[in-house]
Amino acid sequence: MIHEIHLKTKKRDEMLDITAQVEELLAQDNVSEGFVVVYSPHTTAGITINENADPNVQKDILRRLNEIYPWDKAGDRHLEGNSAAHLKTITVGTSETVIIHNGKLLLGRWQGIYFCEFDGPRARTCYVKILG
């Protein structure tokens, strides 16, 4: 079964912690050992695992991505004008796989799963596949 997580982003660039939603789906499926895959089907949004203890980490990540890929860059030819969002998605990636052990996500102490918006605000969906 494939689960969907529906999100409404509020900013052009933002990172939403979706760990709790993935954990709820895992509890629903009652899988004790296996893998979970979290996937974004969007070309301007990604999925990553990173620190969830200090919110400044997400702010720093977004700030640094904006430095590397500025929104308005002379020479960009993409008609929608969102080449920066596409490049950020390529950098972050569109999926993460996490091991399930003893019915829990095997994440590090400070890790969380993030949906990364790079062209918002938008209504978005990410998919979760739990393999037991």
Side-chain angles (χ1 to χ4, degrees), residues 31-74:
V31 172
S32 61
E33 300 292 329
F35 300 92
V36 61
V37 179
V38 183
Y39 170 70
S40 166
H42 307 288
T43 60
T44 58
I47 303 291
T48 193
I49 295 173
N50 216 293
E51 181 174 332
N52 66 356
D54 182 349
N56 286 319
V57 172
Q58 291 87 50
K59 291 175 188 167
D60 288 346
I61 289 169
L62 293 173
R63 180 180 53 80
R64 296 292 294 271
L65 284 170
N66 283 325
E67 288 173 3
I68 296 166
Y69 305 117
W71 194 257
D72 295 315
K73 184 72 173 167

Side-chain angles (χ1 to χ4, degrees), residues 2 20 25 31 44 59 62 78 81 86 105 127 132:
I2 295 177
L25 295 171
V31 172
T44 58
K59 291 175 188 167
L62 293 173
H78 183 48
H86 291 279
L105 297 174
Y127 296 102

Side-chain angles (χ1 to χ4, degrees), residues 11-30:
K11 301 175 187 171
R12 178 173 14 190
D13 294 298
E14 85 184 280
M15 293 174 68
L16 302 175
D17 188 345
I18 60 169
T19 311
Q21 289 141 294
V22 175
E23 289 172 333
E24 286 173 24
L25 295 171
L26 178 57
Q28 262 180 258
D29 281 11
N30 197 30

